[in-house]
Amino acid sequence: MQIIYLITTGGTIEKVYSEQLGKVHNSASKIGQYLTRLRLPDCDVRVIPIMNKDSLEMTQEDRVGLVAEMSRLLPEGHPFVITHGTDTMVETGLYLQRTFPSLHVPVVLTGAMTPLGFEGSDGLQNLTESLMASRLLGPGVYIVMHGRVFPADHVRKDRDLGTFVETTQSVNPGGSE
Ligand code: GLU
């Protein structure tokens, strides 16, 4: 049985519509109910909700908390998928790259431009592809969105295109390239 740790942090993928507030926001994690729709007979996806925030509100303490949770689980040697808001996904990916320079497992960050369950959502596609990618990729930190895999230091969000695009230059000033 392939174990995958799915750490959830919030972002648009988990947003719900609040009739009281009249807008979408982050409250309880809803990834679990979507996972049950996937057929993963040889896969044990362990969901670990550590926060539920718009990623623009993520603090350095939040990222340190993410690292602490990963450090606790890394010795087990299983891949990670991390759901995250798209606005600061690259920032967190670069932080993880710098923090874990000698990873021995793949770490896949993913999210969505439209919340899970909303008409036209890309959330379930990105979640499904990320789970698959985490089983195939070598060690490293990646962003998986819309059928593509990017190393965390060669990607940026393109707001106009509504997706992520590759950068030829490394965007990690502290990185080795
Ligand atoms: N600002 C939000 C975030 O980064 C929305 C962007 C998104 O998740 O797509 O969490």
Side-chain angles (χ1 to χ4, degrees), residues 5 48 66-76 80 100:
Y5 284 117
I48 304 173
L66 170 62
V67 162
E69 190 61 24
M70 291 176 67
S71 299
R72 186 176 71 79
L73 299 167
L74 267 169
E76 296 180 27
F80 288 88
F100 299 114

Side-chain angles (χ1 to χ4, degrees), residues 56-171:
L56 292 174
E57 291 166 11
M58 272 179 101
T59 62
Q60 182 58 16
E61 288 70 35
D62 290 329
R63 291 191 172 91
V64 168
L66 170 62
V67 162
E69 190 61 24
M70 291 176 67
S71 299
R72 186 176 71 79
L73 299 167
L74 267 169
E76 296 180 27
H78 304 303
F80 288 88
V81 173
I82 301 169
T83 53
H84 195 290
T86 57
D87 280 337
T88 68
M89 189 182 288
V90 173
E91 190 178 326
T92 297
L94 294 174
Y95 177 66
L96 295 179
Q97 260 189 347
R98 286 195 299 271
T99 307
F100 299 114
S102 313
L103 272 175
H104 56 289
V105 297
V107 176
V108 173
L109 289 140
T110 196
M113 311 303 284
T114 300
L116 277 166
F118 285 35
E119 180 74 23
S121 174
D122 51 344
L124 195 56
Q125 175 191 340
N126 291 332
L127 182 61
T128 308
E129 291 172 352
S130 295
L131 291 169
M132 178 73 164
S134 76
R135 304 180 67 171
L136 301 176
L137 290 167
V141 183
Y142 308 89
I143 285 178
V144 169
M145 292 282 289
H146 303 154
R148 285 181 289 183
V149 179
F150 306 94
D153 58 352
H154 283 82
V155 63
R156 66 177 174 82
K157 178 177 173 178
D158 188 316
R159 289 183 173 282
D160 296 332
L161 295 178
T163 192
F164 282 71
V165 294
E166 189 173 358
T167 56
T168 47
Q169 294 275 308
S170 171
V171 292

